[in-house]
Amino acid sequence: MEPRFNPTPDQTFELEGGAKYNFIRAKEHIDELDRAGRYAEACEARYQGFQLLADALPEDEAMPLRWEHANSRSAIMILHGSAIDHFRIGDLEMAMAQLELLLDCDPEDHLEAINLLALCYAAVEEWELYDEVELDLTDKSAESVIARLWASWRRDGAVEKGALSLLCSRFKSYFAEFTAEEHPDDENFRRDIMSERPSQEAQAREWWLLTEPLWAEFPEFIEELRR
C-alpha cells in the first residue's frame, strides 16, 4: 500500500500506510534489536526507515506530521534515532540533513532536536544557519544552554559568561556531568534513565553520552568548562 498523508483540522497530516510504511511495527522491531544488543542492525533499520519517509514526503512543500497520530509519531522517532546514529559516528552532514527534515515534520519539536542541530551547525561553522536556530534555544533547557556555550567557544574562543553562569546555577547536575572525569554507562544509570521519572543526574549523563563524540574531537571545550 502506498503512503497517504491525510490532512487534519490543525493543519498537520497523518501518515497512513501498510506494509513497509507501518512505522509503528518498524519501531517495535528496532526497539527489539536495541534491547538484544544488535545495534548495527538497529542503525540500519532506522536508516531504512528514514529513507522510506524521505522518499514518501513531497519535495516541494512542508508536510508537518501529527504527533498524536501513532504511525506519524513512530516515523518521527525513527528519523530522530537515525540522526543520532549519524551524529555518533561523526557524519554531521547527514545528521544535519535528517534533523532539518525532522523539524519540517515536527515543527513543535517534541524531541528537542533543535539542540543537537545547533551543536552540529557550530561544529561545522555554519554560522548563518546557527544564528537562525539560536532564537529557538531556550534558557529553560540545559541542552540549549550547552549548545550556546559550545557555539560561543567555537566562534569566539571563549564561552559565553551568561550561559555559563546559568549552567552552573540552574543546571548544576549538567555542569557536574560535563566537567566530571568519568561518565559510567552502568546499571545504576540505566535503571534511573529508564524509570518513570529519571533524575536530573541521569538526564545529564544521557546528554553527555549522546554528545560525547563531539567532545572527544574537541576536548578543549570541556577543559574550558572545567576552568
Side-chain angles (χ1 to χ4, degrees):
M1 180 186 295
E2 290 301 307
R4 301 187 311 276
F5 292 93
N6 298 327
T8 71
D10 61 1
Q11 297 184 321
T12 60
F13 296 84
E14 295 180 346
L15 173 54
E16 297 279 9
K20 61 184 180 180
Y21 296 104
N22 186 332
F23 289 101
I24 297 173
R25 187 176 301 168
K27 187 175 183 305
E28 289 173 350
H29 176 60
I30 290 167
D31 291 343
E32 289 174 0
L33 292 173
D34 277 327
R35 284 193 293 269
R38 297 161 62 182
Y39 302 120
E41 293 175 69
C43 289
E44 179 59 28
R46 279 189 285 267
Y47 184 66
Q48 290 176 359
F50 149 67
Q51 288 181 310
L52 281 172
L53 178 60
D55 289 343
L57 291 166
E59 296 182 2
D60 55 351
E61 62 178 308
M63 190 68 70
L65 301 179
R66 185 168 179 264
W67 176 258
E68 293 76 14
H69 181 249
N71 199 56
S72 301
R73 182 172 63 251
S74 294
I76 290 170
M77 294 177 77
I78 289 171
L79 173 56
H80 182 245
S82 189
I84 290 174
D85 291 338
H86 285 88
F87 178 88
R88 283 175 166 158
I89 64 172
D91 188 350
L92 298 188
E93 292 296 330
M94 177 59 77
M96 287 187 295
Q98 291 177 311
L99 291 167
E100 289 165 354
L101 179 62
L102 174 61
L103 290 173
D104 285 341
C105 292
D106 181 29
E108 293 186 16
D109 196 14
H110 291 87
L111 300 173
E112 298 185 1
I114 196 73
N115 300 316
L116 193 60
L117 184 57
L119 290 179
C120 291
Y121 283 155
V124 300
E125 299 184 306
E126 288 281 3
W127 295 120
E128 288 187 14
L129 294 174
Y130 173 80
D131 289 340
E132 290 177 9
V133 301
E134 186 181 29
L135 298 173
D136 296 316
L137 300 179
T138 170
D139 287 350
K140 297 179 180 179
S141 162
E143 293 84 357
S144 285
V145 174
I146 290 169
R148 284 168 46 199
L149 284 167
W150 162 241
S152 64
W153 182 84
R154 190 86 171 111
R155 176 150 42 181
D156 304 323
V159 295
E160 180 189 337
K161 298 300 184 184
L164 181 59
S165 177
L166 191 61
L167 186 69
C168 294
S169 60
R170 186 179 297 179
F171 305 108
K172 295 179 181 178
S173 57
Y174 281 78
F175 179 74
E177 186 66 40
F178 271 68
T179 55
E181 293 293 340
E182 297 182 350
H183 315 270
D185 186 358
D186 54 18
E187 184 178 343
N188 289 335
F189 161 70
R190 287 288 164 187
R191 188 183 306 114
D192 191 341
I193 200 64
M194 296 299 291
S195 67
E196 187 174 335
R197 293 185 179 181
S199 67
Q200 275 236 327
E201 288 75 15
Q203 293 176 59
R205 182 158 302 170
E206 182 180 46
W207 184 242
W208 166 272
L209 291 172
L210 190 158
T211 57
E212 186 175 14
L214 199 56
W215 319 134
E217 184 176 354
F218 297 97
E220 302 87 352
F221 170 67
I222 301 302
E223 292 302 323
E224 179 72 12
L225 292 183
R226 288 173 178 156
R227 283 196 290 270

